[in-house]
Amino acid sequence: WGKRRGVPYAHVGAAPAFSRVAYYLELEGAEGGRRWAWASAEAFAKDVADVGVPCPACAGGANQGPLANVNVASNVPGLDGTGLAGNIEFWPYNYGMENSGGVPGASAELYDSGDQPIPNSSGIGYGSMQIHAEDPSDPTKPRNTVFALNRFNRGLVADLGIGSQTTGQPDWTGAKNAGAYDRVRRLRVYVLPREPPSPTPPPPQKH
């Protein structure tokens, strides 16, 4: 997809009120093995349109803020953990390196867990869909990029990654590597419906 068109989701189910959001990204290329990551967290939005790919036609504005009780499972070493602190960087815009969200351990000289969205009137830019979480072994270290999907709004080759990139930008900005995963590129988004409130018992009947 690109520009102002919506994302061609394979299936969109009902969208009840939800309490948690989860993402599953699976990647596989001819020259590399299968890589996958699962990340779930307390809901950071009320509208299901705000938890998918942040294209201009899908949702408005930037979604930048903390994530609570992040659970991560992955076959990429160093990511697994439960109850982690994390943060989200979802927007359709260009962005800069400044740590405008005050993310602990983020650098103002790298594209990483703390960047600054740069909105414009068209709502079309480089694009960022990133989940970050604290390092399970040492929360004082810079946060891990659990997964990143960038450069998705203009019909160009996207950036894709699981775990922090070890060379270049930790959040995979500029990688332009989606074509390397020519066997599997699958992103799934889930929501956990809230439990309905307990029914109010009927008033006692008079006899």
Side-chain angles (χ1 to χ4, degrees):
W1 68 92
K3 301 192 178 180
R4 292 187 178 277
R5 290 177 296 168
V7 179
Y9 292 107
H11 173 73
V12 179
F18 50 94
S19 59
R20 289 185 67 83
V21 181
Y23 299 87
Y24 178 74
L25 179 62
E26 183 181 7
L27 303 173
E28 185 176 354
E31 298 182 2
R34 176 173 169 267
R35 299 164 68 87
W36 59 269
W38 165 277
S40 67
E42 293 183 12
F44 56 85
K46 294 181 179 180
D47 191 333
V48 72
D50 293 328
V51 304
V53 179
C55 70
C58 307
N63 215 327
Q64 179 185 32
L67 292 175
N69 293 324
V70 182
N71 298 332
V72 179
S74 177
N75 67 346
V76 174
L79 296 181
D80 287 10
T82 58
L84 304 174
N87 65 286
I88 185 175
E89 294 188 306
F90 280 24
W91 52 70
Y93 313 122
N94 293 331
Y95 49 99
M97 296 179 178
E98 182 179 347
N99 184 13
S100 62
V103 177
S107 170
E109 298 179 354
L110 293 169
Y111 290 106
D112 57 6
S113 60
D115 296 324
Q116 181 178 31
I118 305 174
N120 56 40
S121 58
S122 70
I124 300 173
Y126 197 88
S128 169
M129 184 180 185
Q130 302 172 9
I131 296 287
H132 306 277
E134 64 186 359
D135 190 305
S137 65
D138 185 354
T140 66
K141 290 182 178 180
R143 289 184 173 177
N144 292 321
T145 298
V146 179
F147 78 84
L149 166 61
N150 316 315
R151 200 176 185 244
F152 47 75
N153 265 332
R154 296 182 176 178
L156 304 173
V157 178
D159 311 328
L160 274 173
I162 296 174
S164 296
Q165 186 172 219
T166 55
T167 60
Q169 307 301 332
D171 69 358
W172 299 87
T173 297
K176 304 175 186 177
N177 63 335
Y181 300 109
D182 53 351
R183 291 183 176 175
V184 178
R185 294 190 297 260
R186 182 178 298 117
L187 174 63
R188 292 175 174 166
V189 183
Y190 301 88
V191 295
L192 179 66
R194 290 186 180 277
E195 294 185 6
S198 300
T200 303
Q205 296 182 355
K206 295 181 180 180
H207 297 284

